[in-house]
Every structure is written in structure tokens, then in C-alpha cells.
Amino acid sequence: MRTFFGFLMLILAGLCSCSTKVDLYTDFKDNTIIYGVMNVSKDTNFVKITRAFSGSDDEGFNPYPIAQIADSLNYPGKLDARLIELKNAPGDDYTPTGREIVLDTITIHNKQEGLFYAPDQKLYYTKSRFKVNNGSQKYRYKLVVCKPNDTITSEIGLLGGSNFQIHSGMVYFRSEISSNTRKLFFVPDDNGAIYQISMQFNYKELHKGQDTINKAVEWTLGAFSKLDLGYENGSYYVTYPENALFTYLSNAIGDDTFNVERFFSSFIISISAYGEELFEYMLTNSASGIVDYTYTNIHGGYGVFSSCYEIEKSVKLSSRTMTDLLAMPWGFKNLGYKD
């Protein structure tokens, strides 16, 4: 699943850099390309709305010089782009609430050079807050982009509902070499398809005669679909190696144990969730840089419109973990650091 995560980062980076090659061109046909991954925790969300350039292979059409021309990618002026809010109704239908979020445009000037025009690119954005699933109340958002002779749409449910939470309040590690695993319990999001789970051990380090330094050791458990999760007592879980913390700390600290004191600060669990649309898009497109749009949820166009959300929780270390930590020659003290 690590391959999936690497591809995910490639796609997300492409939302800003837009350096993916698009091999879609026909005579006089306007192909709309849309990329957007909504995150309800952000104060601003962006959607990239652009177009594929036109030409013919029979005429010796070379797309690369055209891709460097701003007007060949950006629609002139500002398209009518908006998000229509929908709410669940009897019969599993979703009906408009009457709220529509009109997207404005902004030009950013720091796009990296690549196959497409740089450094300027036009983005559509909103600072409006979204509604997410909350108990029996469920919401969806329909993206509508109106062109002079066509309308492009896409509809998604957003991640970040109240059900998405980490249940575990403590983690358990041991310093001995072991193949044992422990369980991390959490409740998946209604609209989540894939989950990237990370752990982070935060500590402070004080060398004699020097200033205190904040440090952290972070590692990723991997990416998991809901089918990869275990289920027990009404909650889903993933497993983690029982000696993982001591392995990563050993690699980070090494032989740095002379005249040093270390103090445990916190242990953070982070779970990033991504929508079904983004998951399907990445499964059906390769990471080679050529996007053939085998999968798209843009009706009347190409690309992907989806959602993501991240939660984190500070959890306790078990008493056995603290005992083993204090017994290691790394200078950890029993009391937490005090300024």
C-alpha cells in the first residue's frame, strides 16, 4: 500500500503544480479538465478548472509548445462555477437546501515550470464553510461549471463527519525484539475509502550547556482501505508492531547518549482519509505522468473531484512502555519536561 501513498502525493502535488501530461486533443473540441480535493478543515478550498488544447495528429500537431501558452489552457475570463449543497431526504434521495457557493478566481504566481505554462495559473476557490455528515443529517455537494454551450458537473460527499474519530487512548510498546502486534481502534468516515495512518513520538532534548531542542520521531503504518481493517466489538482497527517505537528511537538517537537529558512530550496518532473518487482515480491511472482518464467522476469533462480530511489524537504511553523507555541508555527522565 506504500505505492498507493506515493501516487497519492503525486496527484495531490499535481493539483498545484499541474505538471501532468494530458494527451487529449481533437479538432475544435473543448475538453474541460477539473482537479479538486475539498478539505473541510481548511479555510480556503481550491478547484483547478482548465482545458485540453486542440489539434490534429494528421497535421503534425505538436502539443508541447501550445502547452506553454497560457490562453491554450485557461478559459478566458471567469466561468460560472458553483457548489450546490444537497441534504438527504426520505427515500435515500438528496435534494438542494437552497444554498449555493459561488467560486471566485485567483491567479497564483509560484507554479513550478513544467509541461504547462508557468509561473501563473488561475484557480477557482471558496472560503465558505461546508457541512458534513452528522448523525442522521447527511450532505453532498454538486459542482456545476457552466460554459457557453455546455455544463460540467460532479457530485461528492465530504469527509470530516462526526463519526470519524480515534477510539484508542493508549499505545503499547516494548523494547524487546518481538513479532507481536497491538491494535489501534478508530471509526472510519462515512465517505472515506482509504486511510493513511501515522504515529509520532515527540520529545525534548537537552545537552549540557546548550538550549533545549524539540524533536520528533514519526513513522507511517501504511495506507488501508476499509476492507483491510479488522473489526472487533463495534470498532475497526489496524495493527502496529509492538517494538516499533524503540526501533525508530534507536535509529534516531544512535550513540548520542553522553551528557544529554530527554523528556517525553506527547504521542500523536494521525489518520488521513481520502474519498472513494480519489481512490478510484489513482487505482486506474498510472504514476508514469501520462493521465488517460480511464476513471473520472467529472460528467462532461475529465479529472477528479473528491475530498480528504485528517484527524489526530494525543494518546498516553502505557506504564510498561514508560518503564522500558526509562531503562534505555538514552537519558529519558521520569518527569515530563518543565520550562
Side-chain angles (χ1 to χ4, degrees), residues 184-208:
L184 171 64
F185 291 92
F186 73 100
V187 180
D189 191 283
D190 286 344
N191 297 317
I194 201 78
Y195 299 87
Q196 184 75 24
I197 304 175
S198 300
M199 292 183 165
Q200 182 169 313
F201 177 87
N202 299 307
Y203 64 101
K204 296 178 183 289
E205 188 174 270
L206 178 60
H207 284 264
K208 188 175 182 179

PDB file of all heavy atoms in Angstrom, residues 184-208:
ATOM      1  N   LEU A 184      -4.884  -0.643  17.067  1.00  0.00           N
ATOM      2  CA  LEU A 184      -5.266   0.765  17.128  1.00  0.00           C
ATOM      3  C   LEU A 184      -6.698   0.874  16.603  1.00  0.00           C
ATOM      4  O   LEU A 184      -6.971   0.584  15.432  1.00  0.00           O
ATOM      5  CB  LEU A 184      -4.323   1.615  16.279  1.00  0.00           C
ATOM      6  CG  LEU A 184      -4.722   3.074  16.077  1.00  0.00           C
ATOM      7  CD1 LEU A 184      -4.708   3.824  17.402  1.00  0.00           C
ATOM      8  CD2 LEU A 184      -3.784   3.740  15.083  1.00  0.00           C
ATOM      9  N   PHE A 185      -7.632   1.306  17.465  1.00  0.00           N
ATOM     10  CA  PHE A 185      -9.051   1.340  17.119  1.00  0.00           C
ATOM     11  C   PHE A 185      -9.474   2.732  16.667  1.00  0.00           C
ATOM     12  O   PHE A 185      -9.098   3.741  17.270  1.00  0.00           O
ATOM     13  CB  PHE A 185      -9.897   0.911  18.318  1.00  0.00           C
ATOM     14  CG  PHE A 185      -9.769  -0.548  18.672  1.00  0.00           C
ATOM     15  CD1 PHE A 185      -8.820  -0.965  19.603  1.00  0.00           C
ATOM     16  CD2 PHE A 185     -10.589  -1.489  18.076  1.00  0.00           C
ATOM     17  CE1 PHE A 185      -8.701  -2.307  19.937  1.00  0.00           C
ATOM     18  CE2 PHE A 185     -10.479  -2.828  18.400  1.00  0.00           C
ATOM     19  CZ  PHE A 185      -9.532  -3.244  19.327  1.00  0.00           C
ATOM     20  N   PHE A 186     -10.289   2.772  15.624  1.00  0.00           N
ATOM     21  CA  PHE A 186     -10.861   4.044  15.171  1.00  0.00           C
ATOM     22  C   PHE A 186     -12.143   3.767  14.402  1.00  0.00           C
ATOM     23  O   PHE A 186     -12.426   2.640  13.985  1.00  0.00           O
ATOM     24  CB  PHE A 186      -9.869   4.837  14.318  1.00  0.00           C
ATOM     25  CG  PHE A 186      -9.631   4.282  12.927  1.00  0.00           C
ATOM     26  CD1 PHE A 186     -10.270   4.826  11.832  1.00  0.00           C
ATOM     27  CD2 PHE A 186      -8.762   3.220  12.737  1.00  0.00           C
ATOM     28  CE1 PHE A 186     -10.056   4.328  10.543  1.00  0.00           C
ATOM     29  CE2 PHE A 186      -8.526   2.713  11.462  1.00  0.00           C
ATOM     30  CZ  PHE A 186      -9.170   3.264  10.370  1.00  0.00           C
ATOM     31  N   VAL A 187     -12.936   4.820  14.217  1.00  0.00           N
ATOM     32  CA  VAL A 187     -14.178   4.745  13.446  1.00  0.00           C
ATOM     33  C   VAL A 187     -13.940   5.409  12.100  1.00  0.00           C
ATOM     34  O   VAL A 187     -13.603   6.599  12.051  1.00  0.00           O
ATOM     35  CB  VAL A 187     -15.342   5.445  14.179  1.00  0.00           C
ATOM     36  CG1 VAL A 187     -16.618   5.347  13.350  1.00  0.00           C
ATOM     37  CG2 VAL A 187     -15.549   4.825  15.558  1.00  0.00           C
ATOM     38  N   PRO A 188     -14.095   4.688  10.990  1.00  0.00           N
ATOM     39  CA  PRO A 188     -13.885   5.291   9.674  1.00  0.00           C
ATOM     40  C   PRO A 188     -14.930   6.356   9.357  1.00  0.00           C
ATOM     41  O   PRO A 188     -16.010   6.378   9.940  1.00  0.00           O
ATOM     42  CB  PRO A 188     -14.001   4.096   8.711  1.00  0.00           C
ATOM     43  CG  PRO A 188     -13.854   2.878   9.560  1.00  0.00           C
ATOM     44  CD  PRO A 188     -14.407   3.252  10.910  1.00  0.00           C
ATOM     45  N   ASP A 189     -14.599   7.219   8.435  1.00  0.00           N
ATOM     46  CA  ASP A 189     -15.540   8.225   7.962  1.00  0.00           C
ATOM     47  C   ASP A 189     -16.553   7.593   7.006  1.00  0.00           C
ATOM     48  O   ASP A 189     -16.216   6.670   6.258  1.00  0.00           O
ATOM     49  CB  ASP A 189     -14.775   9.350   7.246  1.00  0.00           C
ATOM     50  CG  ASP A 189     -15.645  10.555   6.966  1.00  0.00           C
ATOM     51  OD1 ASP A 189     -16.451  10.503   6.015  1.00  0.00           O
ATOM     52  OD2 ASP A 189     -15.526  11.552   7.698  1.00  0.00           O
ATOM     53  N   ASP A 190     -17.791   8.089   7.034  1.00  0.00           N
ATOM     54  CA  ASP A 190     -18.824   7.580   6.124  1.00  0.00           C
ATOM     55  C   ASP A 190     -18.367   7.594   4.669  1.00  0.00           C
ATOM     56  O   ASP A 190     -18.696   6.689   3.900  1.00  0.00           O
ATOM     57  CB  ASP A 190     -20.103   8.413   6.240  1.00  0.00           C
ATOM     58  CG  ASP A 190     -20.868   8.133   7.522  1.00  0.00           C
ATOM     59  OD1 ASP A 190     -20.578   7.099   8.163  1.00  0.00           O
ATOM     60  OD2 ASP A 190     -21.729   8.939   7.886  1.00  0.00           O
ATOM     61  N   ASN A 191     -17.630   8.638   4.291  1.00  0.00           N
ATOM     62  CA  ASN A 191     -17.253   8.833   2.893  1.00  0.00           C
ATOM     63  C   ASN A 191     -15.800   8.474   2.613  1.00  0.00           C
ATOM     64  O   ASN A 191     -15.290   8.771   1.536  1.00  0.00           O
ATOM     65  CB  ASN A 191     -17.520  10.285   2.487  1.00  0.00           C
ATOM     66  CG  ASN A 191     -18.993  10.641   2.579  1.00  0.00           C
ATOM     67  OD1 ASN A 191     -19.843   9.869   2.173  1.00  0.00           O
ATOM     68  ND2 ASN A 191     -19.290  11.810   3.133  1.00  0.00           N
ATOM     69  N   GLY A 192     -15.134   7.861   3.561  1.00  0.00           N
ATOM     70  CA  GLY A 192     -13.718   7.525   3.378  1.00  0.00           C
ATOM     71  C   GLY A 192     -13.527   6.202   2.655  1.00  0.00           C
ATOM     72  O   GLY A 192     -14.277   5.251   2.854  1.00  0.00           O
ATOM     73  N   ALA A 193     -12.492   6.143   1.803  1.00  0.00           N
ATOM     74  CA  ALA A 193     -12.177   4.913   1.075  1.00  0.00           C
ATOM     75  C   ALA A 193     -10.795   4.387   1.416  1.00  0.00           C
ATOM     76  O   ALA A 193     -10.551   3.192   1.333  1.00  0.00           O
ATOM     77  CB  ALA A 193     -12.281   5.146  -0.430  1.00  0.00           C
ATOM     78  N   ILE A 194      -9.899   5.270   1.785  1.00  0.00           N
ATOM     79  CA  ILE A 194      -8.524   4.875   2.082  1.00  0.00           C
ATOM     80  C   ILE A 194      -8.034   5.702   3.256  1.00  0.00           C
ATOM     81  O   ILE A 194      -8.385   6.879   3.393  1.00  0.00           O
ATOM     82  CB  ILE A 194      -7.611   5.052   0.842  1.00  0.00           C
ATOM     83  CG1 ILE A 194      -6.357   4.191   0.951  1.00  0.00           C
ATOM     84  CG2 ILE A 194      -7.293   6.493   0.583  1.00  0.00           C
ATOM     85  CD1 ILE A 194      -6.582   2.743   0.637  1.00  0.00           C
ATOM     86  N   TYR A 195      -7.205   5.077   4.115  1.00  0.00           N
ATOM     87  CA  TYR A 195      -6.753   5.735   5.346  1.00  0.00           C
ATOM     88  C   TYR A 195      -5.249   5.585   5.473  1.00  0.00           C
ATOM     89  O   TYR A 195      -4.714   4.479   5.444  1.00  0.00           O
ATOM     90  CB  TYR A 195      -7.446   5.121   6.569  1.00  0.00           C
ATOM     91  CG  TYR A 195      -8.938   5.283   6.526  1.00  0.00           C
ATOM     92  CD1 TYR A 195      -9.732   4.347   5.876  1.00  0.00           C
ATOM     93  CD2 TYR A 195      -9.553   6.394   7.087  1.00  0.00           C
ATOM     94  CE1 TYR A 195     -11.105   4.501   5.798  1.00  0.00           C
ATOM     95  CE2 TYR A 195     -10.922   6.559   7.016  1.00  0.00           C
ATOM     96  CZ  TYR A 195     -11.695   5.617   6.372  1.00  0.00           C
ATOM     97  OH  TYR A 195     -13.055   5.792   6.283  1.00  0.00           O
ATOM     98  N   GLN A 196      -4.558   6.720   5.599  1.00  0.00           N
ATOM     99  CA  GLN A 196      -3.115   6.746   5.825  1.00  0.00           C
ATOM    100  C   GLN A 196      -2.901   7.029   7.311  1.00  0.00           C
ATOM    101  O   GLN A 196      -3.321   8.071   7.824  1.00  0.00           O
ATOM    102  CB  GLN A 196      -2.460   7.830   4.975  1.00  0.00           C
ATOM    103  CG  GLN A 196      -0.947   7.877   5.074  1.00  0.00           C
ATOM    104  CD  GLN A 196      -0.285   6.745   4.304  1.00  0.00           C
ATOM    105  OE1 GLN A 196      -0.873   6.210   3.380  1.00  0.00           O
ATOM    106  NE2 GLN A 196       0.918   6.393   4.693  1.00  0.00           N
ATOM    107  N   ILE A 197      -2.234   6.100   8.023  1.00  0.00           N
ATOM    108  CA  ILE A 197      -2.138   6.181   9.477  1.00  0.00           C
ATOM    109  C   ILE A 197      -0.685   6.346   9.905  1.00  0.00           C
ATOM    110  O   ILE A 197       0.189   5.586   9.476  1.00  0.00           O
ATOM    111  CB  ILE A 197      -2.746   4.925  10.131  1.00  0.00           C
ATOM    112  CG1 ILE A 197      -4.198   4.762   9.662  1.00  0.00           C
ATOM    113  CG2 ILE A 197      -2.681   5.013  11.650  1.00  0.00           C
ATOM    114  CD1 ILE A 197      -4.871   3.502  10.145  1.00  0.00           C
ATOM    115  N   SER A 198      -0.440   7.360  10.749  1.00  0.00           N
ATOM    116  CA  SER A 198       0.917   7.668  11.201  1.00  0.00           C
ATOM    117  C   SER A 198       0.958   7.786  12.716  1.00  0.00           C
ATOM    118  O   SER A 198      -0.043   8.101  13.366  1.00  0.00           O
ATOM    119  CB  SER A 198       1.409   8.985  10.581  1.00  0.00           C
ATOM    120  OG  SER A 198       1.429   8.915   9.170  1.00  0.00           O
ATOM    121  N   MET A 199       2.151   7.538  13.278  1.00  0.00           N
ATOM    122  CA  MET A 199       2.401   7.721  14.701  1.00  0.00           C
ATOM    123  C   MET A 199       3.591   8.654  14.871  1.00  0.00           C
ATOM    124  O   MET A 199       4.531   8.625  14.067  1.00  0.00           O
ATOM    125  CB  MET A 199       2.693   6.378  15.378  1.00  0.00           C
ATOM    126  CG  MET A 199       1.506   5.438  15.426  1.00  0.00           C
ATOM    127  SD  MET A 199       1.890   3.909  16.326  1.00  0.00           S
ATOM    128  CE  MET A 199       0.226   3.263  16.590  1.00  0.00           C
ATOM    129  N   GLN A 200       3.541   9.490  15.917  1.00  0.00           N
ATOM    130  CA  GLN A 200       4.628  10.439  16.156  1.00  0.00           C
ATOM    131  C   GLN A 200       4.923  10.553  17.643  1.00  0.00           C
ATOM    132  O   GLN A 200       4.049  10.887  18.441  1.00  0.00           O
ATOM    133  CB  GLN A 200       4.283  11.807  15.574  1.00  0.00           C
ATOM    134  CG  GLN A 200       5.408  12.837  15.756  1.00  0.00           C
ATOM    135  CD  GLN A 200       5.160  14.093  14.961  1.00  0.00           C
ATOM    136  OE1 GLN A 200       4.816  14.038  13.786  1.00  0.00           O
ATOM    137  NE2 GLN A 200       5.341  15.244  15.599  1.00  0.00           N
ATOM    138  N   PHE A 201       6.178  10.287  17.998  1.00  0.00           N
ATOM    139  CA  PHE A 201       6.667  10.403  19.370  1.00  0.00           C
ATOM    140  C   PHE A 201       7.431  11.724  19.479  1.00  0.00           C
ATOM    141  O   PHE A 201       8.436  11.938  18.802  1.00  0.00           O
ATOM    142  CB  PHE A 201       7.592   9.222  19.681  1.00  0.00           C
ATOM    143  CG  PHE A 201       8.218   9.252  21.046  1.00  0.00           C
ATOM    144  CD1 PHE A 201       7.570   8.706  22.145  1.00  0.00           C
ATOM    145  CD2 PHE A 201       9.470   9.824  21.243  1.00  0.00           C
ATOM    146  CE1 PHE A 201       8.157   8.713  23.413  1.00  0.00           C
ATOM    147  CE2 PHE A 201      10.075   9.841  22.495  1.00  0.00           C
ATOM    148  CZ  PHE A 201       9.410   9.282  23.587  1.00  0.00           C
ATOM    149  N   ASN A 202       6.926  12.639  20.311  1.00  0.00           N
ATOM    150  CA  ASN A 202       7.541  13.951  20.480  1.00  0.00           C
ATOM    151  C   ASN A 202       8.296  14.009  21.809  1.00  0.00           C
ATOM    152  O   ASN A 202       7.793  13.552  22.836  1.00  0.00           O
ATOM    153  CB  ASN A 202       6.477  15.048  20.461  1.00  0.00           C
ATOM    154  CG  ASN A 202       5.718  15.088  19.154  1.00  0.00           C
ATOM    155  OD1 ASN A 202       6.302  15.159  18.081  1.00  0.00           O
ATOM    156  ND2 ASN A 202       4.401  15.008  19.227  1.00  0.00           N
ATOM    157  N   TYR A 203       9.488  14.573  21.765  1.00  0.00           N
ATOM    158  CA  TYR A 203      10.281  14.687  22.982  1.00  0.00           C
ATOM    159  C   TYR A 203      11.178  15.918  22.921  1.00  0.00           C
ATOM    160  O   TYR A 203      11.368  16.517  21.853  1.00  0.00           O
ATOM    161  CB  TYR A 203      11.103  13.417  23.211  1.00  0.00           C
ATOM    162  CG  TYR A 203      12.156  13.110  22.162  1.00  0.00           C
ATOM    163  CD1 TYR A 203      13.503  13.395  22.384  1.00  0.00           C
ATOM    164  CD2 TYR A 203      11.813  12.500  20.954  1.00  0.00           C
ATOM    165  CE1 TYR A 203      14.476  13.099  21.437  1.00  0.00           C
ATOM    166  CE2 TYR A 203      12.775  12.193  20.005  1.00  0.00           C
ATOM    167  CZ  TYR A 203      14.107  12.495  20.251  1.00  0.00           C
ATOM    168  OH  TYR A 203      15.067  12.195  19.304  1.00  0.00           O
ATOM    169  N   LYS A 204      11.708  16.291  24.089  1.00  0.00           N
ATOM    170  CA  LYS A 204      12.640  17.404  24.188  1.00  0.00           C
ATOM    171  C   LYS A 204      14.018  16.853  24.560  1.00  0.00           C
ATOM    172  O   LYS A 204      14.128  15.892  25.316  1.00  0.00           O
ATOM    173  CB  LYS A 204      12.168  18.425  25.225  1.00  0.00           C
ATOM    174  CG  LYS A 204      10.852  19.106  24.850  1.00  0.00           C
ATOM    175  CD  LYS A 204      10.396  20.069  25.941  1.00  0.00           C
ATOM    176  CE  LYS A 204       9.042  20.684  25.607  1.00  0.00           C
ATOM    177  NZ  LYS A 204       9.100  21.634  24.515  1.00  0.00           N
ATOM    178  N   GLU A 205      15.019  17.501  24.025  1.00  0.00           N
ATOM    179  CA  GLU A 205      16.388  17.032  24.218  1.00  0.00           C
ATOM    180  C   GLU A 205      17.240  18.179  24.760  1.00  0.00           C
ATOM    181  O   GLU A 205      17.218  19.289  24.221  1.00  0.00           O
ATOM    182  CB  GLU A 205      16.938  16.540  22.874  1.00  0.00           C
ATOM    183  CG  GLU A 205      18.279  15.860  22.943  1.00  0.00           C
ATOM    184  CD  GLU A 205      18.663  15.284  21.588  1.00  0.00           C
ATOM    185  OE1 GLU A 205      18.313  14.118  21.321  1.00  0.00           O
ATOM    186  OE2 GLU A 205      19.301  16.008  20.792  1.00  0.00           O
ATOM    187  N   LEU A 206      17.954  17.916  25.847  1.00  0.00           N
ATOM    188  CA  LEU A 206      18.767  18.944  26.493  1.00  0.00           C
ATOM    189  C   LEU A 206      20.192  18.432  26.678  1.00  0.00           C
ATOM    190  O   LEU A 206      20.455  17.550  27.498  1.00  0.00           O
ATOM    191  CB  LEU A 206      18.171  19.321  27.852  1.00  0.00           C
ATOM    192  CG  LEU A 206      18.943  20.359  28.676  1.00  0.00           C
ATOM    193  CD1 LEU A 206      19.056  21.677  27.912  1.00  0.00           C
ATOM    194  CD2 LEU A 206      18.264  20.575  30.021  1.00  0.00           C
ATOM    195  N   HIS A 207      21.107  18.979  25.883  1.00  0.00           N
ATOM    196  CA  HIS A 207      22.522  18.693  26.050  1.00  0.00           C
ATOM    197  C   HIS A 207      23.110  19.700  27.034  1.00  0.00           C
ATOM    198  O   HIS A 207      22.709  20.868  27.055  1.00  0.00           O
ATOM    199  CB  HIS A 207      23.258  18.781  24.704  1.00  0.00           C
ATOM    200  CG  HIS A 207      23.022  17.602  23.823  1.00  0.00           C
ATOM    201  ND1 HIS A 207      23.871  16.527  23.761  1.00  0.00           N
ATOM    202  CD2 HIS A 207      22.005  17.334  22.956  1.00  0.00           C
ATOM    203  CE1 HIS A 207      23.412  15.641  22.902  1.00  0.00           C
ATOM    204  NE2 HIS A 207      22.269  16.110  22.394  1.00  0.00           N
ATOM    205  N   LYS A 208      24.043  19.244  27.818  1.00  0.00           N
ATOM    206  CA  LYS A 208      24.640  20.102  28.834  1.00  0.00           C
ATOM    207  C   LYS A 208      25.240  21.355  28.203  1.00  0.00           C
ATOM    208  O   LYS A 208      26.025  21.294  27.268  1.00  0.00           O
ATOM    209  CB  LYS A 208      25.731  19.326  29.590  1.00  0.00           C
ATOM    210  CG  LYS A 208      26.275  20.056  30.797  1.00  0.00           C
ATOM    211  CD  LYS A 208      27.249  19.188  31.575  1.00  0.00           C
ATOM    212  CE  LYS A 208      27.758  19.909  32.820  1.00  0.00           C
ATOM    213  NZ  LYS A 208      28.691  19.057  33.615  1.00  0.00           N
TER     214      LYS A 208
END
